Each structure stands twice: as C-alpha cells, then as structure tokens.
Amino acid sequence: MSFQSIPGQERVKQILQNSLRTDKVSHAYIFTGPSGTGRKQMALAFAQALYCQVLPDDACGECLDCRKVEHGNHPDLHWVRPDGASIKIEQIRELQKQFSYRASASGLKMYILEDADKMTVQAANSLLKFLEEPTSRVVAILITDNGQALLPTIRSRAQWVPFAPMSRDRMIAVLQEEGHPSVLIQAAVRLAAGPDAARELIQGNGFAEIRNLVIQLTKESMSRLPTALLTAQQKLAKSELTEQLPLFMDLLILWLKDMVQLNIGNRSGLVYADQTDWMAGLALSYDMKHWVRCLEQAVEQQKRLRFHANPQLVLEKMLMQLKGV
C-alpha cells in the first residue's frame, strides 16, 4: 500500500514522507483522530515505506519486504490489538520479548498498537519503559481515537500525528467513484469521519434496511400511528432492530434535519433526497417548532439508549412525538 493510494490526509503524508526523505524517522508516533480516517492504512503504508528496498520515501509494493508487510508476515513488524476490552500487560511483555531478538537484514523493528488508549495502567507503564529504553532500532505507532487519553509521559515521548475528518464532498466523490448507491452515500458521509468508516457503514449489516425502516416508520407514524407502533414492536421482538436502534436513531435525526430544511423551503443537500415529494408536503403541515422539538427529543432518546434505556419505550415515545401526541 503506497501513501498515494490513501485518499486525503495530505498533511500526515507530508510529515511521514519528510521524515523518510531526511532520515529523521521518530522512534514513536501517535496517530490520533476519528475512526475511519485511514489511520491503520497509513500505519501500514508507513511500515511498507520503511522496509521497502526500492523507493526512499514510499512503498513500491513489489519488493519482497513490501509484500511481507502487506501479507502480515514480516518478521520485524508486530501488530498489537486489544485482547477483549483492553491491551494487557502480558501483551506488552510478549512484545518486549520479541524485541529482545535481533532484527533481520533491515536492522529495524516496528510495532503498531491499535486502540492504544485501551491499554491497562500496567500495560501503559510497561510500554513507557519500553519507549524510554529501546534495546535496538525501533519505531512504534500508537493508533487511537483520543490521543489525550494516553499517559502524559507516553505523549511526551512520541510525535503527535493528527488525522482530520475528510471533507464531505471529498468523501462523496471517493464513494461515488467506487459505485456505491447515492442515497446511502448521503447518509453514511454524515455519520462517518472518513471514507473507510462510511464504506463500512454502507456495506455493513442492514444499513439500507434501517434507512428504509426510518422511511416506513416516519410515514406510518404520521398517518397510522397504531400501525407504526405495531411495526416497531414486531421489529424489536425479532431483535433485528434492537442492536441497530442507535443507527436507526442516527438516521432518524438526519431525516428530521431534512424536515427542518424542507420546512424553510430548502431542498438542496438533503440526505433523503429520493423521498422529497412526500416529505416536503408533510414538513409544511407542521410548524417549525414541532420539527425542532422532535429533533431535540431524538437526541435525548439517543442519549438514553447509551444508558441502557428500554428500546421499545424509546422507539414508541419517539414515534408518538413525531405525530405530536
């Protein structure tokens, strides 16, 4: 994987490629930023570039070392992922043990910690010792949604590399080029910070179906509320919706934002653009205060779900609010 194959994050590429060109590669980096912004791909591209035998500041993708990194079997590259909910001290000790052996021809050993903020306190302290006293030439990459959650002593010993959310227009262009349905792209790019996360949503379990359910339940709740409540109850009883209810609420909030726009006569940039005809009429049949109240209620119910509120009560309350009951 070359740097150029990763969309966006030009600033990050510049930092990493400059360090390769000037031979000033840091012994540790913190890749921090929202999930889906290409942090893992960038770590892989950087690893390939470091081990590449052909190019000085990128990966050729063809040499033996590039292929080994890509296929996950390079002897000097170690990935550490949380074991269950956390990265444990045993995992860091195992890493240290691996690093006590000599590196192969390149003389460079590298490790990448995914979800580095999930280290236990003992694991973080053990890693700190490792960062302070590397036994050989070592490069570390700590990937995290929140770099501030790492120990200050770890932060001070690593180079900070911030990953920014990609612009919505750029994400749309990338996903359209890949041939994803436009109606799903519009929703996904508003719920994700980068094309990887958006793609994962679109291809994920039931994204299109949940979007269709938002359309079905909002239509039914406005004209036949008892039918909407029954549909919601059936979907929850089958448990297919229970796990997806946070996503349902995310997509419902996007639908309500469209209703606010339609109420003021704005039809551009709608998420549910394919549903404009019936939504526009409905948006004007209530005043703006109603849609703002619904939006506030949806955000509130979404918070309650995080604290394990009863899914059926959350959904019923929301559908009744839409109707104005």
Side-chain angles (χ1 to χ4, degrees), residues 253-268:
I253 287 168
L254 292 178
W255 183 87
L256 287 164
K257 285 179 176 176
D258 276 4
M259 296 304 273
V260 169
Q261 291 302 311
L262 288 166
N263 185 273
I264 59 174
N266 182 12
R267 290 187 175 219
S268 64

Side-chain angles (χ1 to χ4, degrees), residues 54-285:
V54 179
L55 299 176
D57 61 355
D58 207 342
C60 71
E62 302 294 328
C63 71
L64 184 60
D65 276 327
C66 273
R67 293 204 306 274
K68 279 182 178 175
V69 170
E70 189 148 6
H71 296 139
N73 55 17
H74 196 289
D76 296 328
L77 175 62
H78 301 266
W79 286 77
V80 179
R81 297 172 178 88
D83 176 12
S86 61
I87 294 175
K88 299 174 172 58
I89 189 167
E90 292 78 18
Q91 292 175 273
I92 302 299
R93 281 178 180 155
E94 177 57 32
L95 188 66
Q96 289 168 326
K97 185 177 154 191
Q98 293 296 328
F99 275 60
S100 65
Y101 307 128
R102 257 171 62 160
S104 60
S106 69
L108 171 72
K109 280 185 170 276
M110 186 171 185
Y111 60 95
I112 298 167
L113 260 64
E114 287 186 37
D115 297 319
D117 52 294
K118 291 183 179 168
M119 280 187 284
T120 62
V121 175
Q122 296 92 331
N125 284 323
S126 184
L127 180 80
L128 179 61
K129 200 160 184 289
F130 197 26
L131 280 174
E132 286 173 328
E133 304 162 13
T135 50
S136 56
R137 192 172 161 231
V138 173
V139 173
I141 296 178
L142 281 60
I143 298 174
T144 171
D145 292 355
N146 178 15
Q148 296 296 342
L150 297 171
L151 288 178
T153 40
I154 288 178
R155 295 203 307 266
S156 68
R157 283 162 178 77
Q159 185 173 345
W160 195 266
V161 182
F163 282 67
M166 188 183 280
S167 80
R168 198 175 287 163
D169 289 345
R170 181 81 192 273
M171 272 201 277
I172 290 169
V174 168
L175 295 164
Q176 278 176 340
E177 211 171 289
E178 293 173 8
H180 298 289
S182 182
V183 293
L184 298 184
I185 290 173
Q186 288 300 330
V189 297
R190 284 164 173 81
L191 301 177
D196 299 326
R199 189 184 303 110
E200 211 172 294
L201 269 176
I202 291 168
Q203 295 171 343
N205 184 21
F207 188 67
E209 288 86 344
I210 297 292
R211 183 184 184 274
N212 288 338
L213 188 61
V214 169
I215 294 164
Q216 181 189 346
L217 287 178
T218 49
K219 259 186 189 175
E220 283 182 359
S221 63
M222 293 304 190
S223 54
R224 305 185 303 281
L225 183 59
T227 309
L229 294 172
L230 186 61
T231 303
Q233 197 176 12
Q234 287 169 343
K235 296 281 185 187
L236 284 166
K238 286 180 186 169
S239 85
E240 62 196 75
L241 179 56
T242 310
E243 287 174 20
Q244 298 278 33
L245 200 50
L247 176 60
F248 176 91
M249 294 303 289
D250 283 340
L251 290 169
L252 178 62
I253 287 168
L254 292 178
W255 183 87
L256 287 164
K257 285 179 176 176
D258 276 4
M259 296 304 273
V260 169
Q261 291 302 311
L262 288 166
N263 185 273
I264 59 174
N266 182 12
R267 290 187 175 219
S268 64
L270 299 176
V271 175
Y272 291 84
D274 57 324
Q275 305 294 318
T276 307
D277 292 347
W278 70 271
M279 283 171 61
L282 182 61
L284 295 170
S285 64

